[in-house]
Amino acid sequence: MSYRVAMDIGGTFTDVVCYDERSGTVTASKAPTTPGDLAEGVFAALGRVVEDPAEISFFVHGTTQGLNALLERKGARVLLLAGQGGRDVYQIARGNRDRMFDLRYRKPAPLVPRQDVMEAGGRLDYLGRELQPLDEESVRAAARRAREEGFDAVAVCLLFSYANPAHELRAGEILRAELGDDVLVVLSHEVAREWREYERTSSAVLEAYTGPVVRRYLARIERRFAERGLAVPVHVMQSSGGLVNASYAMRRPLQTLLSGPVGGTMGGVAAARFMDRENAICIDMGGTSFDVSLVVNGRPDVSAEARIEGYPVLMPIVNLHTIGAGGGSIAYAEAGALRVGPESAGALPGPACYGRGGTRATVTDANVALGRVDPAWFAGGLMTLDVEAAGTAVATLADELDMDPLLLAEGICDVANAKMAQAIRTLTVEHGIEPREFALVAFGGAGAMHAVFIARELGISEVVVPRFPGAFSAWGMLEADVRRDLTHPYFRSQDTLDGPDMSRNFVILEEDALAALSAQGVPEERHRVEHAVDMRYEGQDYTLTIPLRDAAEPAEPGFLETIAARYAEAHTGRYGHATPEAPVEFVMLRSTGLGSFPRTAAATQEAPEERAAYVRDVIFDGAVHSTPVLRRSSLDGELTGPAIVVEETATTVIPPGCMATVDPNGFLIVKVNL
């Protein structure tokens, strides 16, 4: 067995990348996604890159099943079992307003209505000591209601279970005995063993809401693999940028919530390593959305908590910022001005140029009208675009706005580019990060078409377009490590800190992490564990995560002074100031087990059959330029813009004045004229 395969299942296409360990070559392809039965699309895509699936030695994929269920509000029906007196915690949520000046702001509607929340008697104190025993009859009453009313899942969140999970564990035993495997039982301390009652409840509810959908999907994929005699284990991308096998993902389905988009970030990490860069901005532009993430100091930008659709989640998650901007984003007139997105034409009917009945102008139609797309070889020849339909759609909107159609087409692209540049500023400038110090790694079906224009908006001088940009998220999954994240609440002031005790707790976490990696099938020689501690100044509410050298460091002399200095540095970097003389507090211990697989080569491939380049008229800055259209596999040496570079999964637009080269790894490096 010699093929390592990764797959990214999107709404329209299923992208697949295959690495042949014998030859060192990487191939990519895609197949239409089959919404009725995603497994059919998976095996159709596999057939395009592997002749004999029995030779697959490793398989990983990203799934948006859980995220789609959340976005479409088509998740499970959840019964929430809260502690006595805590029935309204989830409904009340937090009192802060995310959008201060939005007069129409409303908190997200709870995924569990109040009538579906029950209470379980019993009580622990803040140290986890039992004050009242668990009322087991109230738990059995919840089980009876779940069974009689047809609930799909039960989420259990009891007060102070992060300090002592005994009551939650017993409640879980009762519920599973009463309900069997038909109803998913989620315990909050297993999802997030962290403080903050509402956030822990929200995390447990999200897992219960999306879990049944993810479990059914993964079980179906594993069953189809078994039916075809494939013994290879199925791996799944996590929101943290690491991998887990399907059996673990079925137990902790919340970890897969951002499974698909995160693959691109890990591809960006690998690309930065290949190019010996430390910092990169990753942009993934598809048909509907635009995702931004960062690589900082050679590592993905991961946060210990996040908000998804307005719901807080306590789990390590790659910081992604998503807006409704893609090739299918619809342009329209509003109050005499041009607007673009977030409404999308989707796959059906799609942009007007797809010839599927769409009539409204989209970003893709604007690019077609400007000549920036090869209509005869779009998506590697899978589709021939209708140039006339694109022109008609743009002209119709131009008449409404009393504009020249070609000027309007450039305006549509400019508005979209400005929105995407602002999305990048949200993760960079608003956090004290200067985007000009980063390279822009562009992928997705439309990312390379707009990347140089976005870079100009931000003053970024270098754009990197990897091979197979449309399937780059899948390639990134081949570069990810198996990852398990463990936490342990550890509330200490600097005056009560016992360094050797902290070290002993880290050793326990490390042993658990190593055991988890072994259970995932990672050889011991490929194990490593990283440690960090959440800290804050006294009186602060939120924390920063400060990395440690190893588990033994807290026991060393001078540890408090060293870690306080690191915290002050991190505080300055995040907020622009620090108070070194202020006392610090410790809140949470974090250990991350990482298990590496053999790395792939950079995504190069044998050159396909060549088609001679041709020249077409393309509009840049309101002027017509005679522009060569080239196959990427034919590029050699330097290429001066303007130029259009086409390949199987994307189109790269190189405006006048820019210079492009292909580096030894096969990456297309564009130097932007600012």
Side-chain angles (χ1 to χ4, degrees), residues 366-662:
N367 279 298
V368 171
L370 294 169
R372 297 177 183 177
V373 179
D374 182 355
W377 211 66
F378 185 73
L382 289 177
M383 184 183 295
T384 300
L385 301 181
D386 188 335
V387 178
E388 184 177 349
T392 300
V394 172
T396 300
L397 181 59
D399 288 342
E400 186 178 348
L401 290 167
D402 193 23
M403 291 181 64
D404 177 81
L406 292 181
L407 288 178
L408 174 66
E410 275 207 287
I412 291 172
C413 292
D414 289 343
V415 171
N417 293 335
K419 289 179 66 175
M420 292 184 282
Q422 183 56 40
I424 293 173
R425 292 188 185 99
T426 300
L427 278 190
T428 55
V429 176
E430 292 184 13
H431 291 269
I433 295 173
E434 174 54 71
R436 287 177 292 187
E437 299 174 359
F438 287 63
L440 190 68
V441 180
F443 49 95
M449 199 179 304
H450 291 260
V452 173
F453 303 98
I454 296 170
R456 281 177 173 171
E457 288 259 353
L458 297 165
I460 296 173
S461 61
E462 183 178 75
V463 169
V464 179
V465 183
R467 281 291 290 141
F468 313 123
F472 187 67
S473 289
W475 179 71
M477 295 176 195
L478 291 179
E479 294 296 314
D481 295 327
V482 170
R483 176 171 175 148
R484 290 292 302 275
D485 293 278
L486 302 175
T487 60
H488 178 69
Y490 197 80
F491 295 92
R492 302 287 190 280
S493 68
Q494 68 177 40
D495 294 332
T496 61
L497 175 66
D498 183 341
D501 179 69
M502 178 186 280
S503 182
R504 286 191 293 271
N505 278 279
F506 271 124
V507 169
I508 294 171
L509 289 175
E510 181 169 319
E511 291 171 350
D512 291 344
L514 293 174
L517 294 177
S518 296
Q520 295 281 314
V522 181
E524 287 188 15
E525 63 272 16
R526 296 188 176 276
H527 293 180
R528 74 181 189 279
V529 180
E530 298 177 351
H531 303 285
V533 58
D534 287 1
M535 297 177 61
R536 63 189 180 189
Y537 287 126
E538 271 190 10
Q540 284 185 321
D541 190 17
Y542 289 89
T543 63
L544 293 176
T545 301
I546 309 301
L548 302 181
R549 189 180 65 251
D550 54 37
E553 185 180 1
E556 296 176 357
F559 168 73
L560 180 60
E561 292 75 13
T562 300
I563 200 68
R566 285 185 206 162
Y567 178 74
E569 182 180 358
H571 200 280
T572 301
R574 178 65 180 84
Y575 299 109
H577 66 90
T579 312
E581 67 278 7
V584 296
E585 293 179 331
F586 303 87
V587 177
M588 186 74 61
L589 308 184
R590 300 185 183 275
S591 294
T592 301
L594 298 165
S596 61
F597 288 109
R599 300 298 186 191
T600 67
T604 58
Q605 71 166 17
E606 297 177 1
E609 182 180 347
E610 295 296 337
R611 188 183 76 169
Y614 72 97
V615 176
R616 63 181 297 147
D617 289 340
V618 180
I619 308 298
F620 292 103
D621 298 321
V624 178
H625 294 259
S626 294
T627 303
V629 179
L630 307 164
R631 291 284 183 91
R632 178 162 178 170
S633 55
S634 68
L635 297 183
D636 186 25
E638 293 185 344
L639 174 64
T640 302
I644 306 296
V645 179
V646 297
E647 56 185 301
E648 300 88 339
T649 61
T651 297
T652 302
V653 176
I654 304 172
C658 296
M659 180 77 69
T661 58
V662 179

Side-chain angles (χ1 to χ4, degrees), residues 167-332:
H167 282 188
E168 277 196 359
L169 289 170
R170 179 55 185 153
E173 289 176 1
I174 295 171
L175 291 168
R176 288 169 180 139
E178 295 276 344
L179 300 172
D181 295 330
D182 295 334
V183 177
L184 174 64
V185 176
V186 175
L187 307 181
S188 72
H189 79 275
E190 293 179 345
V191 178
R193 193 165 182 177
E194 301 187 30
W195 71 302
R196 297 184 192 280
E197 191 72 6
Y198 166 62
E199 285 77 5
R200 185 159 46 87
T201 303
S202 173
S203 301
V205 167
L206 274 171
E207 176 151 302
Y209 187 77
T210 61
V213 175
V214 175
R215 292 175 78 188
R216 286 194 297 269
Y217 163 72
L218 292 174
R220 188 162 58 246
I221 290 289
E222 285 203 313
R223 185 170 62 251
R224 293 295 184 86
F225 267 61
E227 289 171 355
R228 301 194 180 207
L230 303 180
V232 59
V234 175
H235 287 81
V236 185
M237 194 78 193
Q238 295 184 97
S239 302
S240 63
L243 308 179
V244 290
N245 59 30
S247 61
Y248 178 81
M250 282 190 275
R251 295 195 304 273
R252 296 272 72 84
L254 184 64
Q255 302 289 338
T256 70
L257 202 58
L258 297 181
S259 177
V262 167
T265 308
M266 301 314 296
V269 172
R273 185 180 69 248
F274 278 120
M275 297 184 299
D276 197 24
R277 308 284 203 283
E278 288 218 326
N279 300 322
I281 298 170
C282 304
I283 61 170
D284 182 358
M285 182 180 179
T288 303
S289 63
F290 177 80
D291 299 323
V292 185
S293 57
L294 301 180
V295 178
V296 181
N297 296 325
R299 302 166 67 91
D301 180 26
V302 177
S303 174
E305 58 183 286
R307 298 185 74 87
I308 300 176
E309 284 292 288
Y311 302 107
V313 184
L314 292 176
M315 68 175 182
I317 191 167
V318 170
N319 283 322
L320 280 166
H321 183 57
T322 302
I323 63 171
S329 294
I330 294 173
Y332 59 97

Side-chain angles (χ1 to χ4, degrees), residues 15-38:
D15 300 312
V16 60
V17 170
C18 176
Y19 175 61
D20 188 337
E21 294 177 311
R22 289 172 298 194
S23 64
T25 58
V26 179
T27 55
S29 188
K30 61 177 59 189
T33 297
T34 51
D37 185 358
L38 293 177

